[in-house]
Amino acid sequence: MSDELALNDGEFEPATAPADAAGPPAGDKWRARARATWREIAGLFWLVLAVLGFHSFIAKPFYIPSESMLPGLLVGDQLVVTKYAYGWSFISPTIPNPVAMWHSLVQHRQEESWGVQLPFVHGRLFGRMPERGDVVIVTPPGRNTDYIKRVVGLPGDRIEVRNGVLVINNVPVKRGPLHYVDVADYGGMALPAPEQGTTCDIPGGLQGPAGKQTCRLPLVRETLPNGRSYETVDLTHGEPGTGPLYYEGDNYGPIVVPKDHVFLMGDNRERSADSRISLDLGGLGGPVPWEYIGGRAEFITFSKNGHATWNPLTWWNGLRGGRAGISLHPARDK
């Protein structure tokens, strides 16, 4: 009875939690969450900055969207371009343009590039002139998009094209015999003029069922004065008007490459808008100042044939086999 009275009289108070068990004040919790959020944002910022710095000064990936470098490069090839090979110029930095990304991804508007181009600045930091035969990324003057071409002319060279044959300093480059190669899993890309079809839209060009077609290309191996050689597509077979296609670029020049300029051509000679073609027609408008060279193509990482969709089950079949690791440095004849 006395125990019950004692309890009822409140002689034993319930134990109270220590003052610090209730946790920090609400304001401290909010500040802690804010600091954690800012740390995440700062970490993401430095990560993006590191990636952009790597792409600007070391190397970046590049996607082949056209047929101008057949047979060596197919539409869908993914490759690595080194930025430091020739030093750095105003064209080197990779600066994303959020407005262009929004227009392209959300509003589905055609944008020339997702990047911001800096104003032109003469010269290159630690600059070095490309070597004949190098495959390079180039931005046409006045444009903000990347082309991929091969360097065939250096400062002081006299460049001419006669009936589809490249002539350097009055000497035609060495050419091998006409031969054919079958490009499996072709996946051609429509040319700028719809009536032109694709490169393999020639008699006997496309073979096999739709979706897995093989392209039979007429090739000629070309060797530059420094001994570097590579295959070129010769649709006119060296005689404009007699082959499957006539191309105005099969006769060009002669011109002399100015100081600090390079002359560029695509390996797919009758399907390339390069230094032979004016800027108005989508070409490079003659020799290009070396400041517009963005880097050197090194090797293919992988290749997509265009068959993949959003369905993950199609991704494996969307890859071309045997492309990964192919070097883009031309062979050097001994």
Side-chain angles (χ1 to χ4, degrees):
M1 183 68 176
S2 60
D3 290 342
E4 293 176 0
L5 290 174
L7 290 172
N8 291 337
D9 288 342
E11 292 182 5
F12 295 93
E13 296 291 337
T16 58
D20 58 353
D28 291 344
K29 291 181 178 180
W30 184 88
R31 282 190 288 272
R33 285 196 296 268
R35 284 194 295 269
T37 300
W38 278 113
R39 281 196 297 269
E40 293 292 334
I41 293 174
L44 182 61
F45 170 79
W46 288 113
L47 176 62
V48 171
L49 194 64
V51 171
L52 293 179
F54 187 86
H55 283 185
S56 297
F57 302 108
I58 307 298
K60 68 176 291 185
F62 188 81
Y63 168 77
I64 300 299
S66 75
E67 301 188 329
S68 70
M69 288 297 289
L70 282 172
L73 288 171
L74 306 180
V75 174
D77 281 350
Q78 310 278 331
L79 49 103
V80 170
V81 173
T82 52
K83 290 296 193 76
Y84 56 82
Y86 312 121
W88 298 274
S89 71
F90 80 99
I91 212 74
S92 299
T94 298
I95 306 173
N97 184 347
V99 175
M101 294 179 183
W102 174 268
H103 289 166
S104 179
L105 295 174
V106 179
Q107 299 181 336
H108 303 291
R109 287 167 49 181
Q110 187 69 29
E111 290 289 336
E112 197 171 44
S113 171
W114 283 8
V116 175
Q117 187 180 111
L118 297 178
F120 177 81
V121 177
H122 283 284
R124 302 185 74 96
L125 181 64
F126 303 116
R128 182 175 70 84
M129 189 61 65
E131 185 179 355
R132 287 193 191 92
D134 284 354
V135 177
V136 301
I137 303 302
V138 58
T139 300
R143 301 283 304 278
N144 190 17
T145 187
D146 291 329
Y147 287 16
I148 183 165
K149 305 295 177 186
R150 190 179 299 278
V151 177
V152 298
L154 299 177
D157 284 345
R158 184 181 186 275
I159 300 295
E160 185 177 3
V161 182
R162 302 176 193 158
N163 292 344
V165 178
L166 174 62
V167 180
I168 301 177
N169 297 326
N170 299 316
V171 179
V173 298
K174 179 182 176 182
R175 287 163 56 89
L178 179 71
H179 59 284
Y180 291 84
V181 67
D182 292 332
V183 179
D185 210 359
Y186 167 61
M189 177 69 68
L191 297 165
E195 68 274 9
Q196 293 181 343
T198 68
T199 294
C200 261
D201 192 15
I202 56 177
L206 286 177
Q207 303 173 7
K212 285 290 183 181
Q213 291 177 317
T214 294
C215 175
R216 187 168 177 79
L217 286 175
L219 303 183
V220 171
R221 190 162 191 85
E222 185 174 274
T223 302
L224 295 174
N226 59 354
R228 303 181 88 184
S229 63
Y230 44 86
E231 300 280 13
T232 64
V233 180
D234 186 6
L235 297 179
T236 64
H237 303 171
E239 293 291 337
T242 64
L245 175 73
Y246 173 74
Y247 186 60
E248 60 178 329
D250 280 339
N251 286 285
Y252 175 87
I255 59 97
V256 175
V257 181
K259 178 183 177 182
D260 293 336
H261 285 60
V262 292
F263 196 88
L264 306 169
M265 294 177 70
D267 294 347
N268 189 0
R269 290 295 163 78
E270 283 76 43
R271 299 297 198 186
S272 176
D274 47 41
S275 288
R276 299 169 293 170
I277 307 302
S278 69
L279 289 170
D280 292 341
L281 296 178
L284 297 174
V288 179
W290 74 328
E291 290 90 351
Y292 288 91
I293 301 296
R296 182 178 65 197
E298 303 292 347
F299 60 90
I300 297 172
T301 53
F302 64 95
S303 184
K304 298 184 292 185
N305 58 24
H307 300 324
T309 67
W310 288 106
N311 183 353
L313 298 177
T314 67
W315 292 355
W316 180 256
N317 289 332
L319 296 176
R320 288 192 184 97
R323 300 292 293 169
I326 294 177
S327 172
L328 299 177
H329 297 177
R332 194 181 298 274
D333 290 357
K334 297 181 180 179

